[in-house]
């Protein structure tokens, strides 16, 4: 990539959603989890709770958040069972999320159970506020790595965006995670225009200094308050151009079978890596391989789709593993070609990010 900020930055995967008729006419009952457009699903995101100890402005309102009743939340055994069935259908990576996964009591035990299922990659996304004391225990239980969300490197602004918690605690959690071997560490930054987009270069310098992969995420219309506006989205292309003007970067070729949402870039001088998740400006639905399990046991095939298939009912009414497998297959099979954020008739999903699990 040229060092000039005027050089348009080409995102690695400007993949358009597949269009036209589905590749296959009927849902296969064996083989990998495939949708009607041929996308094979190998990545499961499991929300273990809709509760969170923060109230980030792009996610939750400051007050009055209704939470699911305890009885509706899947037990660890129920989650592990669905995970096992997913593994048997070819799912190779599992990420725990929420809400804030670490506010769910005893999460280490769930990690222990999941580690016996045999995923290639078992990870956790967390806000880092209560991670440090349990990082080593999580690693011993079989967790491979963590992504830590941190939207500002300035204590006052951190408090303004996250409304609760402290930057210092999260920075300590990053050190603790690395010391425990939960690496490579990724740092998630949701950029909002006029709020924290003046910190792009600070975060790039942070990535270079600590060897942590900072991933700049475009603000998506998934905030519970419905306040998202398109002009608040900071296009990933601009982020890359700004970084490139200070420290030249080049695209990292994705490894075979790695449809991770982030487009990866490395600093040309060997100073580490950054990533961008351009969900709004350059959707990567064409290579999407993710499905989700919500805390109350609904399988979702897309953050932005309201299509849900409940496995909780099956789990609690004597359903077999084959029944669960069929539910997973049905959900994936019903996936639309794209999330549709940029379509004129786009409707926000009824559940927000903290309810679905990011
Ligand atoms: N509580 C954990 C955390 O903060 O990382 C895990 C759950 S959180 C919903 C997962 C990720 O979604 C975080 O990186 C968060 O910043 C991101 N996120 C939440 N709302 C978002 C939105 N409206 N647009 C883009 N990213 C969002």
């Amino acid at each position: 990539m040229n060092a000039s900020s005027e050089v348009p930055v080409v995102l690695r995967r400007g993949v358009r959603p597949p269009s036209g008729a589905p590749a296959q006419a009927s849902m296969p009952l064996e083989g990998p989890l495939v949708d009607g457009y041929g996308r094979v699903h190998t990545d499961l995101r499991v929300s273990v709770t809709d509760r969170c100890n923060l109230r980030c402005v792009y996610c939750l309102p400051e007050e009055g958040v209704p939470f699911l009743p305890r009885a509706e939340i899947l037990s660890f055994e129920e989650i592990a069972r669905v995970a096992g069935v997913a593994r048997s259908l070819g799912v190779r990576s599992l990420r725990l999320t929420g809400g804030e996964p670490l506010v769910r009591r005893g999460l280490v035990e769930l990690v222990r159970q999941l580690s016996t299922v045999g995923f290639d990659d078992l990870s956790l996304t967390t806000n880092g506020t209560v991670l440090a004391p349990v990082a080593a225990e999580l690693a011993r239980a079989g967790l491979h790595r963590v992504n830590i969300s941190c939207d500002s490197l300035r204590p006052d602004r951190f408090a303004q965006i996250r409304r609760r918690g402290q930057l210092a605690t999260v920075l300590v959690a990053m050190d603790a995670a690395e010391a425990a071997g939960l690496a490579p560490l990724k740092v998630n930054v949701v950029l909002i225009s006029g709020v924290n987009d003046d910190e792009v270069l600070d975060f790039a310098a942070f990535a270079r200094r600590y060897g942590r992969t900072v991933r700049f995420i475009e603000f998506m219309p998934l905030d519970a308050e419905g306040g998202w506006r398109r002009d608040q989205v900071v296009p990933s292309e601009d982020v890359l151009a700004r970084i490139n003007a200070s420290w030249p970067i080049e695209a990292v070729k994705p490894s075979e079978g790695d449809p991770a949402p982030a487009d990866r870039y490395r600093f040309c001088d060997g100073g580490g890596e950054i990533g961008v998740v351009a969900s709004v400006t350059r959707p990567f639905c064409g290579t999407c391989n993710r499905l989700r399990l919500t805390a109350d046991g609904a399988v979702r095939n897309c953050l932005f789709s309201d299509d849900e298939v409940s496995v909780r009912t099956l789990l609690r009414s004597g359903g077999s593993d084959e029944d669960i497998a069929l539910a997973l297959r049905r959900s994936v099979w019903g996936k639309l070609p794209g999330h549709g954020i940029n379509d004129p008739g786009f409707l926000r999903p009824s559940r927000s990010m903290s309810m679905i699990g990011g």
Side-chain angles (χ1 to χ4, degrees), residues 58-59 97-100 125-127 149 188 190 218-220 353 358:
Y58 52 75
C59 192
T97 181
E100 170 49 41
T125 301
T126 173
N127 61 34
S149 306
N188 287 352
V190 177
E218 289 182 349
F219 181 24
M220 293 182 266
M353 184 70 117

Side-chain angles (χ1 to χ4, degrees), residues 51-54 56 58-60 96-101 125-128 147-151 162 188-190 215 217-224 228 279 353-355 357-358:
R51 289 170 194 259
C52 191
N53 55 350
L54 301 185
C56 303
Y58 52 75
C59 192
L60 285 170
L96 295 171
T97 181
E100 170 49 41
T125 301
T126 173
N127 61 34
N147 286 8
I148 299 182
S149 306
C150 178
D151 309 303
R162 314 217 100 184
N188 287 352
V189 182
V190 177
R215 299 168 358 131
I217 302 175
E218 289 182 349
F219 181 24
M220 293 182 266
L222 286 168
D223 54 313
W228 179 88
S279 322
M353 184 70 117
S354 69
M355 293 285 295

Side-chain angles (χ1 to χ4, degrees), residues 43-123:
D43 182 291
L44 176 64
R45 310 277 158 119
V46 176
S47 173
V48 296
T49 179
D50 59 329
R51 289 170 194 259
C52 191
N53 55 350
L54 301 185
R55 294 290 182 272
C56 303
V57 292
Y58 52 75
C59 192
L60 285 170
E62 191 157 15
E63 304 289 345
V65 185
F67 292 121
L68 291 164
R70 185 72 192 83
E72 291 184 15
I73 303 284
L74 296 191
S75 68
F76 289 165
E77 288 66 31
E78 289 171 331
I79 292 173
R81 187 166 165 213
V82 178
V85 173
R87 180 73 194 92
S88 75
L89 298 177
V91 167
R92 293 195 305 268
S93 55
L94 185 145
R95 170 174 297 281
L96 295 171
T97 181
E100 170 49 41
L102 291 174
V103 302
R104 173 115 185 225
R105 206 169 309 139
L107 193 80
V108 172
E109 177 48 35
L110 176 62
V111 170
R112 205 169 281 127
Q113 290 184 27
L114 293 173
S115 75
T116 65
V117 177
F119 291 100
D120 296 348
D121 185 28
L122 182 58
S123 61

